[in-house]
Amino acid sequence: MKKLLNTLYVLSEDAYLSLEGENVIVQREEDRPRFPLHTLEDILCFSYKGASPALMGKCADMNIGLSFFTPNGRFLARSCGKSHGNVLLRKEQYRSSDDRFISCRIARNFIAGKIYNSKWVLERATRDHALRIDVEHVKRASSLLHNSQALVAECETLESLLGLEGESSAVYFGALNELILQNKEAFIFNGRSRRPPLDRFNAMLSFVYTLLAHQCASALEGVGLDSYVGFLHRDRAGRTSLALDLMEELRPILGDRFVLSLINNRLIQPEYFDLQENGAVLLNDTGRKIVLSAWQERKREQLTHPYLEEKMPWGLVPHIQALLLSRYLRGDMDAYTPFLWK
């Protein structure tokens, strides 16, 4: 079983990362903290200054993910090292991606998992907070998602699958506001907005989705797959399409539910956001630190994987799903098994 290591988040805008022996040095004026590389699995840098080529090469050699973001959390680039796995696996991935029928058959399971998990996020709320939410509204949305899940299994084209995914997302997001139990006026959610996010809830969703996409890309490359070649998300230069595929089933539970917990537990407050001139709402430095700290804690929490029936931290779930996908593409499994949470 893969061991869950630490993730280093560098939030100072003027920090520069360099290599000294087997350590990463975070240089900022007179401050030079060091972190042993063997304890890290990822480095996420939110600094404009970036990192030294020596550190980038060392991270590649040690299979440590190194990603760069703007201070506001917009993804910029990832440093990739040697490919893992064998060439036969990747060739099978490319062949499957070029065949739209096979791509649809694989993508159906991603979307079926997403709809199933979305439904159970709503169902869990009706069970735990029946006196604080509009149960009838949420139950109606859950019923529509259940119907959509049955239709997904019959999809034969990517176009029809994308249509169902869009419809189910609209139903799900239409009920998500009911699950906000604290500071509802400040965190009201009227639907998904991105590039830029136009409210506090969407600002957190966009930031957390970026973290999740990075985690999925690292997991896929760790098992030998090409994170840029997807099945549902088609090829686009610079986009980790397969990572976006894999994270679909994980968005409701590792993304949406996490954001709701930050609001409902009052860990995040309205003053942790900045309003931009173009109407965008973004997490400020304090807000990002709180979200990242809580994200690390969530990754360490234990669960029993529904398919493997083994206990593991949440942070390993993307790695396990990437492994199951690679086994399917190699022909070791009859179908890809999505992560189904309940």
Side-chain angles (χ1 to χ4, degrees), residues 37-51:
L37 286 170
H38 73 270
T39 66
L40 302 175
E41 67 176 358
D42 282 301
I43 301 173
L44 275 63
C45 180
F46 294 81
S47 164
Y48 283 122
K49 289 190 175 181

Side-chain angles (χ1 to χ4, degrees), residues 88-317:
L88 299 179
L89 173 61
R90 291 203 175 206
K91 288 180 72 174
E92 185 57 44
Q93 177 189 356
Y94 300 147
R95 281 193 292 266
S96 298
S97 179
D98 286 338
D99 188 315
R100 294 181 70 87
F101 176 77
I102 296 177
S103 291
C104 181
R105 190 169 61 193
I106 298 171
R108 281 192 310 225
N109 290 337
F110 295 135
I111 300 306
K114 178 182 183 179
I115 296 175
Y116 179 94
N117 291 330
S118 298
K119 180 186 72 173
W120 279 104
V121 167
L122 300 182
E123 287 290 338
R124 179 71 71 93
T126 64
R127 186 195 71 184
D128 295 344
H129 307 291
L131 299 179
R132 304 180 65 183
I133 66 175
D134 185 344
V135 172
E136 184 178 349
H137 179 195
V138 176
K139 282 285 189 181
R140 185 164 55 249
S142 177
S143 178
L144 290 172
L145 290 174
H146 180 77
N147 295 337
S148 295
Q149 189 179 349
L151 294 174
V152 163
E154 301 173 359
C155 281
E156 297 293 340
T157 67
L158 289 171
E159 290 74 19
S160 60
L161 183 60
L162 285 168
L164 276 173
E165 188 275 333
E167 292 172 6
S168 63
S169 292
V171 169
Y172 168 67
F173 282 133
L176 206 57
N177 190 59
E178 287 293 328
L179 279 56
I180 301 173
L181 307 177
Q182 303 288 347
N183 283 330
K184 196 152 188 171
E185 184 175 338
F187 289 99
I188 190 169
F189 178 68
N190 291 318
R192 187 77 175 104
S193 62
R194 69 201 86 182
R195 301 187 190 94
L198 300 177
D199 57 54
R200 295 181 179 94
F201 197 100
N202 274 291
M204 283 194 290
L205 279 185
S206 293
F207 187 66
V208 171
Y209 285 170
T210 299
L211 297 176
L212 182 56
H214 164 83
Q215 196 174 347
C216 288
S218 295
L220 290 163
E221 289 165 7
V223 299
L225 291 169
D226 188 335
S227 64
Y228 288 84
V229 179
F231 303 106
L232 178 67
H233 294 82
R234 309 309 291 172
D235 295 349
R236 182 185 298 177
R239 183 174 75 175
T240 53
S241 296
L242 188 58
L244 297 180
D245 285 355
L246 185 66
M247 71 180 282
E248 288 293 347
E249 67 201 60
L250 303 177
R251 286 178 191 262
I253 45 176
L254 277 175
D256 311 341
R257 197 163 180 266
F258 172 70
V259 168
L260 286 166
S261 72
L262 293 178
I263 298 171
N264 292 338
N265 292 327
R266 294 184 177 273
L267 293 175
I268 201 82
Q269 297 295 327
E271 58 267 26
Y272 298 157
F273 298 82
D274 292 332
L275 177 63
Q276 309 295 304
E277 291 184 1
N278 64 351
V281 179
L282 302 172
L283 282 158
N284 60 27
D285 188 54
T286 301
R288 286 193 296 274
K289 288 179 181 178
I290 291 172
V291 171
L292 290 171
S293 177
W295 180 252
Q296 281 299 96
E297 289 301 315
R298 177 59 57 88
K299 286 167 63 176
R300 295 189 185 101
E301 291 178 7
Q302 296 284 317
L303 79 152
T304 299
H305 193 282
Y307 179 72
L308 299 182
E309 298 182 346
E310 293 184 18
K311 282 196 170 183
M312 64 184 65
W314 272 102
L316 286 186
V317 170

Side-chain angles (χ1 to χ4, degrees), residues 76-88:
L76 293 175
R78 299 180 68 247
S79 176
C80 299
K82 300 175 182 177
S83 298
H84 297 268
N86 60 65
V87 67
L88 299 179

Side-chain angles (χ1 to χ4, degrees), residues 52-67:
S52 71
L55 176 64
M56 295 172 67
K58 188 67 172 179
C59 287
D61 288 340
M62 296 182 66
N63 194 30
I64 298 172
L66 176 58
S67 296

